[in-house]
Amino acid sequence: MTTDSELFTPGSRVRVRDEEWLVRNTVPTSEGGTALRVTGLSELVRDEKALFLSRPDQLRPVDPEQTEFVADDSPRHRRGRLYLDTFLRRSPVTGSGLHVGHRAAIDETNYQFVPTGKALDRPRPRIMIADKFGLGKTVEAGMLPSELIRRGQGDRILVVGLESVLAQIQHELWSHFTTPLVWLDSRGIRRVRHEIPSYENPFHHYDRVIVSIGTLKNNKKYRHHLENCHWDAILIDECQHVAVRGSPPSQRARLAQLLARQTDALIMTSATPRDGDSESFASLVDLLDPTAISHPTEFEHDGIDDLFVRRSKKGIQSEVGASFREHDVSLDFVETTDDEDRVFEHLHASEFRPVDPRCESGGLLFKTTLLKSFLSSPADCRETIERRLDRDALQTEDSEAAHDRRLLGRLRRMLEPLEYDADADRGDQAYARFNRLLDLLESFEGTGNCYGDRVMSVSERLPTLRWLEEALIDAFGMADHRIALFDGSLSDREHQELVRPGDDLETDWLASQLRPAVEQMRHRMRELRQARAEQVQDEVREMERDLESWDRGRETYLKSKLEGDDGALPPGRRQEYERQLRDVERIQDERREWFNNRLNTVPSPAIRVITGIVTR
């Protein structure tokens, strides 16, 4: 007996609801039937996507044996050749070879095709791309979804990543593989839910979506919808953030575990998949194949070679030659000032008491924390001191608390000369590293990028970032919007507004390039406007002369009738002539006023509209 999966194969045609469809994919259902993902072929449903079930719907396969052959009488069989070419292009391909990935808008190198080839060799295409920085992991990851789309197995795609890189991923997948992704943040999902009925899943509204991990990890809002949503392929960027570390697993780890169960194809990318903990790395491999590693603490890499790809620049240097651009990395050594040396000496000589009596090394740990905070910035060190002094253990009157308060008070006074001095000249600050930073920023020549350059200062401490923001704004007299603070407290939309590549700078540059042409066009518009005004004025004056000539003739005729009648005109006719004469005089006055207003304006609305469009 022929089963549904044998009857309806990818590439075959079916007739459903009086329309013809092309089968893209078949999935067995729990009721024993088959779910068919199809694309419309007949005129009414052409290129429309649908999902049909073999049990409720009446699916009739289009039998090739019943095909009626028609002679092709076109020159050189043009219609037949076009039909066959179109049919082959629309038919899903099979096999593990690449069909579209090598045609992407990229510089073709063999190492980029390895992850996709490995994934397609597996029954379920799943792969972790762990190449080191700069090898193009996004391009390698985008190649597999494009192949799945060509095979009819990539209709629904979900891309998940950090907020700061979503714009780059979306741009690269579109520019290299023409894979469109709809960007959904929390506001976008809320907008979709307002547009659809309350019982529908918002993640069914778009087939190809890119969302941040921070948005989806909210279990209360989205877990129910994600559990009832199946994807053909999911790409998780920077997957080290979804690894399991400790118990219970983080929200990100639980999100990744849920998504791995809701997809056939899974691609994960990371330049640092291992952090020294075998169990966290094993949790990532478990997302790809739960049976690959039996003991998370004891496993061999040979057993997961088909799930894992990791290369370095040296390993593929022979393939790419001089394609990799060398980064100029330099270290700057700064001589500490006397005030900074005194702080280091005080920290070295200080011995703090543990706040928690259960932790004997608590004093040493806090001393290390103080040193790290001072190495970050004096502002961060001062905030660390304030938090320590606010602890209840240091509010008591015992000798140990008083000892720590004295040490911290003295350290706080030592930090005062190192604070940013708004009255001092640039470069004369007591904090040596900040002086050096100012010198580097002043000497920065830029890269010649027409959209402008961005300088990024990175710190692990938020107080340091806030202090730098205020100090740099004051030191350079910059507008507040020229310096931005980027941290984890920002929403996903605020993240993207910051990382979007220089919209304001791009607009400024584009305006500077177009300004000469716009000024020239404005000058030409003024000339045309003036010429048009003069032409219209001449036309108006000529029209006014013609009308005045007609009015004078009419006025002369009426006066001659009234003056030469010698009482022969009936009273009614005389009153009518007098009324017409008054109307002629009134119309002349109104016409003169209208023509004067007309001559004082420039009747060129089309020209004004064009100018408004150009200069908007």
Side-chain angles (χ1 to χ4, degrees):
M1 180 177 180
T2 305
T3 61
D4 289 341
S5 59
E6 295 175 348
L7 191 61
F8 306 109
T9 58
S12 62
R13 298 189 179 199
V14 294
R15 194 162 186 84
V16 188
R17 303 177 186 179
D18 297 329
E19 301 295 338
E20 192 170 334
W21 307 79
L22 177 67
V23 179
R24 290 293 186 183
N25 191 15
T26 60
V27 180
T29 62
S30 57
E31 290 79 11
T34 302
L36 275 67
R37 295 186 184 275
V38 297
T39 302
L41 291 178
S42 53
E43 184 177 359
L44 184 62
V45 295
R46 188 178 304 278
D47 295 330
E48 293 291 333
K49 297 178 181 179
L51 177 67
F52 295 120
L53 301 178
S54 60
R55 291 299 172 86
D57 291 304
Q58 296 181 358
L59 308 181
R60 292 188 293 111
V62 177
D63 189 358
E65 295 180 355
Q66 300 178 1
T67 302
E68 180 181 352
F69 292 94
V70 179
D72 183 7
D73 55 357
S74 61
R76 301 182 64 183
H77 310 292
R78 182 183 304 159
R79 286 198 296 268
R81 288 159 58 199
L82 287 174
Y83 172 80
L84 292 175
D85 182 72
T86 303
F87 179 79
L88 291 175
R89 287 178 180 273
R90 290 184 175 181
S91 300
V93 297
T94 57
S96 60
L98 299 183
H99 292 271
V100 294
H102 61 289
R103 300 177 184 174
I106 58 176
D107 294 330
E108 183 177 340
T109 50
N110 293 329
Y111 82 91
Q112 294 175 318
F113 306 139
V114 173
T116 300
K118 276 192 172 185
L120 294 176
D121 283 338
R122 294 179 53 82
R124 300 176 72 193
R126 297 192 166 205
I127 193 73
M128 181 191 299
I129 304 174
D131 291 343
K132 292 190 175 181
F133 295 101
L135 297 191
K137 290 185 293 296
T138 305
V139 172
E140 296 174 17
M143 198 173 297
L144 181 56
S146 67
E147 289 290 336
L148 294 176
I149 293 172
R150 182 66 183 88
R151 287 164 166 76
Q153 302 172 2
D155 291 335
R156 290 182 48 77
I157 298 175
L158 173 66
V159 178
V160 181
L162 300 179
E163 295 90 345
S164 56
V165 296
L166 291 186
Q168 177 186 349
I169 298 174
Q170 184 186 37
H171 172 72
E172 292 196 19
L173 292 186
W174 170 251
S175 59
H176 295 307
F177 305 99
T178 62
T179 303
L181 298 173
V182 178
W183 190 344
L184 287 182
D185 53 12
S186 54
R187 188 182 304 178
I189 297 176
R190 187 164 57 249
R191 184 180 66 252
V192 169
R193 297 182 70 173
H194 288 166
E195 295 176 355
I196 62 176
S198 58
Y199 56 84
E200 287 194 7
N201 193 327
F203 295 106
H204 287 158
H205 193 67
Y206 296 108
D207 285 338
R208 295 168 186 172
V209 179
I210 180 169
V211 195
S212 71
I213 295 177
T215 300
L216 290 184
K217 72 179 182 181
N218 193 324
N219 286 336
K220 294 181 180 179
K221 286 186 177 181
Y222 306 122
R223 185 174 183 86
H224 172 71
H225 297 300
L226 292 174
E227 286 177 343
N228 294 278
C229 187
H230 183 271
W231 303 89
D232 294 325
I234 292 180
L235 166 60
I236 301 179
D237 187 60
E238 300 294 342
C239 63
Q240 71 271 13
H241 296 289
V242 301
V244 176
R245 295 181 178 87
S247 181
S250 64
Q251 287 184 330
R252 293 179 175 180
R254 293 198 296 270
L255 170 65
Q257 293 169 356
L258 171 61
L259 294 178
R261 297 192 297 268
Q262 303 300 120
T263 182
D264 296 326
L266 179 61
I267 311 109
M268 301 194 299
T269 66
S270 174
T272 55
R274 300 200 64 167
D275 58 357
D277 185 0
S278 299
E279 293 186 7
S280 66
F281 177 75
S283 69
L284 295 178
V285 178
D286 187 67
L287 298 176
L288 301 172
D289 186 356
T291 64
I293 297 178
S294 56
H295 299 286
T297 56
E298 300 177 2
F299 62 91
E300 298 292 336
H301 285 281
D302 295 340
I304 59 173
D305 280 344
D306 58 337
L307 296 170
F308 186 74
V309 175
R310 182 168 179 81
R311 282 82 54 88
S312 63
K313 288 185 178 181
K314 291 183 178 179
I316 60 172
Q317 191 67 39
S318 58
E319 297 184 33
V320 298
S323 299
F324 287 140
R325 183 178 57 186
E326 294 294 332
H327 296 281
D328 184 12
V329 180
S330 61
L331 296 177
D332 254 33
F333 296 94
V334 181
E335 290 288 339
T336 57
T337 62
D338 294 339
D339 292 327
E340 291 174 292
D341 289 336
R342 280 191 288 272
V343 173
F344 284 121
E345 292 172 0
H346 178 72
L347 286 174
H348 179 71
S350 299
E351 293 185 4
F352 296 95
R353 305 295 187 266
V355 175
D356 188 352
R358 294 172 298 178
C359 182
E360 298 181 356
S361 59
L364 179 60
L365 291 175
F366 176 65
K367 179 178 178 179
T368 305
T369 301
L370 274 178
L371 178 59
K372 292 174 64 176
S373 64
F374 179 66
L375 290 173
S376 179
S377 71
D380 185 56
C381 186
R382 185 185 66 251
E383 187 163 325
T384 303
I385 294 173
E386 298 297 337
R387 289 198 303 267
R388 183 74 169 190
L389 290 174
D390 289 340
R391 299 285 294 270
D392 294 338
L394 266 70
Q395 304 299 324
T396 61
E397 297 299 330
D398 58 44
S399 58
E400 292 186 351
H403 172 267
D404 282 7
R405 286 199 299 270
R406 285 194 300 272
L407 292 178
L408 293 175
R410 184 181 176 188
L411 179 59
R412 184 167 51 184
R413 290 189 295 273
M414 290 181 175
L415 294 175
E416 292 177 357
L418 298 175
E419 297 292 338
Y420 174 73
D421 186 3
D423 298 328
D425 294 334
R426 191 186 304 170
D428 293 338
Q429 301 290 331
Y431 187 28
R433 284 201 297 158
F434 184 67
N435 281 335
R436 182 55 183 154
L437 176 61
L438 295 179
D439 294 338
L440 290 174
L441 292 176
E442 285 184 330
S443 62
F444 180 67
E445 298 178 354
T447 61
N449 185 355
C450 60
Y451 298 146
D453 293 293
R454 287 186 171 190
V455 178
M456 181 170 61
S457 178
V458 182
S459 175
E460 296 181 355
R461 309 279 182 145
L462 276 176
T464 299
L465 294 176
R466 298 191 187 102
W467 175 79
L468 271 177
E469 182 183 23
E470 297 176 1
L472 290 175
I473 288 176
D474 185 81
F476 288 100
M478 303 174 69
D480 293 348
H481 71 276
R482 306 300 294 179
I483 296 181
L485 182 62
F486 189 97
D487 60 72
S489 65
L490 302 178
S491 66
D492 48 6
R493 181 170 292 272
E494 291 171 328
H495 275 157
Q496 297 308 323
E497 289 176 353
L498 287 179
V499 301
R500 193 173 290 119
D503 287 351
D504 294 337
L505 295 174
E506 179 177 350
T507 303
D508 295 343
W509 175 83
L510 190 59
S512 66
Q513 299 298 311
L514 292 178
R515 191 173 293 114
V518 171
E519 291 298 330
Q520 183 179 1
M521 187 172 294
R522 282 180 177 173
H523 179 69
R524 179 59 178 161
M525 290 298 104
R526 283 194 293 268
E527 292 180 348
L528 291 175
R529 203 158 46 234
Q530 183 65 28
R532 177 62 177 159
E534 294 174 356
Q535 179 183 356
V536 171
Q537 288 175 354
D538 294 339
E539 294 174 356
V540 169
R541 290 191 181 97
E542 184 178 358
M543 186 186 302
E544 184 181 14
R545 287 192 296 269
D546 293 340
L547 291 174
E548 286 182 353
S549 176
W550 186 88
D551 288 339
R552 283 195 298 269
R554 180 65 175 169
E555 183 180 12
T556 303
Y557 170 77
L558 293 173
K559 286 182 179 180
S560 64
K561 286 292 187 181
L562 292 173
E563 293 174 356
D565 64 342
D566 295 331
L569 286 175
R573 179 65 61 84
R574 183 177 182 83
Q575 291 176 359
E576 178 66 19
Y577 284 161
E578 290 175 350
R579 185 187 63 79
Q580 292 183 12
L581 182 61
R582 289 194 300 269
D583 288 343
V584 169
E585 294 173 349
R586 177 179 56 80
I587 290 173
Q588 285 178 339
D589 294 337
E590 292 179 355
R591 186 180 294 119
R592 290 192 189 98
E593 183 180 358
W594 184 85
F595 277 118
N596 289 333
N597 294 333
R598 186 68 172 170
L599 290 172
N600 291 330
T601 58
V602 182
S604 53
I607 295 178
R608 283 199 295 271
V609 169
I610 294 174
T611 307
I613 294 174
V614 171
T615 59
R616 182 169 57 194

